Amino acid sequence: MTHLRRLEVVGTSDFPRAAADRILNEILGAVRARGTAALMLAGGSTPERVYEELARREHAPWSRVDVFFGDERSVAPDHPDSNYAMARRALLDRIPIPGHRVHRMSAEGPDLDAAAARYAELLPAAIDVLVLGIGEDGHTASLFPHAAALTASGRLVVPTRGPKPPHERLSVTPEVIRSARSCVVLAAGAAKASAVARSLEGPQDLGGCPAQLARDRIWILDRDAAELLGQAGG
Ligand code: 6PG
């Protein structure tokens, strides 16, 4: 499947609205086409305001949406570092989504390999709307530069180890990103500008910049995160 890159660059105050509108648009497209939408959420801090804005969209078809997670830290689901806890706070506790349609990625147990295999069993053949963030080092989901997970063939979810605590995590693999029907990358703030430029305009370097996996997808950027675009070599 080929993808046409789409860049939306907005003022910082407009970022949550623009990102929420785009995600909703992709959800509506999936529901129109197939009757349901498999939405996979990103973690970290950037999406929180976006999810709060998304929760305010009255006409979102939540009864038709299945929610999954692209990665999770190995912490309890109510831990301050939990991506699930953030999604509950910012979105899931604010919308009329049936409980059975929320598929938490349980990464708090002792056996992350078994947890990864269990979660992979839950995933559909393709995610309809995959939301990703990007780290300053170019990571996305919990796929960090030069990680073995980047070449994990035949697996959809794997244990990974991040440089910052909580170190132990679960993450979807590049296969899930590549097969997603729609992918929306969220980046805001000047600290992300270099990673955004490397991802979108730098030389092909998946190992060094895993966010290049979403190079030709939809990117919602605030002006600070976009400030180096058009200046990167290559
Ligand atoms: C995670 C995220 C991760 C995140 C980036 C950016 O679990 O940390 O899934 O991929 O999107 O690290 O995080 P911020 O939005 O906090 O900058």
Side-chain angles (χ1 to χ4, degrees):
M1 185 191 303
T2 56
H3 300 283
L4 286 177
R5 177 184 293 180
R6 176 191 182 95
L7 285 188
E8 295 179 27
V9 180
V10 295
T12 298
S13 59
D14 272 341
F15 177 80
R17 178 198 53 72
D21 285 347
R22 175 50 54 192
I23 292 168
L24 177 57
N25 193 58
E26 300 302 311
I27 290 170
L28 290 169
V31 169
R32 267 197 304 273
R34 286 173 294 282
T36 59
L39 169 67
M40 182 172 272
L41 297 178
S45 57
T46 302
E48 186 154 6
R49 297 284 163 271
V50 175
Y51 296 164
E52 289 171 356
E53 188 63 40
L54 186 57
R56 287 193 273 271
R57 295 295 185 276
E58 295 291 328
H59 57 287
W62 295 117
S63 63
R64 304 288 192 91
V65 178
D66 281 289
V67 172
F68 298 91
F69 293 80
D71 66 332
E72 185 55 278
R73 294 85 178 270
S74 188
V75 295
D78 58 357
H79 188 282
D81 286 337
S82 162
N83 289 335
Y84 173 78
M86 182 275 283
R88 277 246 72 101
R89 183 173 66 239
L91 177 64
L92 302 174
D93 287 345
R94 303 174 184 220
I95 59 175
I97 187 165
H100 70 276
R101 284 194 178 274
V102 177
H103 310 279
R104 182 171 76 86
M105 184 184 262
S106 307
E108 68 272 22
D111 187 343
L112 285 183
D113 256 323
R118 277 196 303 275
Y119 201 72
E121 290 294 312
L122 292 179
L123 296 181
I127 293 295
D128 291 300
V129 187
L130 170 61
V131 183
L132 290 174
I134 181 172
E136 295 176 32
D137 60 358
H139 80 260
T140 193
S142 281
L143 298 170
F144 293 92
H146 310 301
L150 289 169
T151 54
S153 64
R155 297 189 66 183
L156 301 179
V157 183
V158 291
T160 68
R161 186 172 170 75
K164 293 179 190 167
H167 295 293
E168 304 304 323
R169 296 151 176 252
L170 286 183
S171 179
V172 292
T173 61
E175 197 168 323
V176 173
I177 298 175
R178 290 192 180 104
S179 64
R181 294 188 178 96
S182 173
C183 179
V184 181
V185 185
L186 309 178
K192 302 294 176 72
S194 170
V196 166
R198 283 177 62 205
S199 301
L200 292 173
E201 298 177 343
Q204 189 79 15
D205 175 17
L206 268 186
C209 187
Q212 287 187 354
L213 284 160
R215 194 172 178 106
D216 294 324
R217 298 305 199 116
I218 300 168
W219 289 64
I220 312 293
L221 307 170
D222 76 353
R223 288 202 185 87
D224 293 337
E227 67 182 355
L228 297 180
L229 289 181
Q231 299 173 32

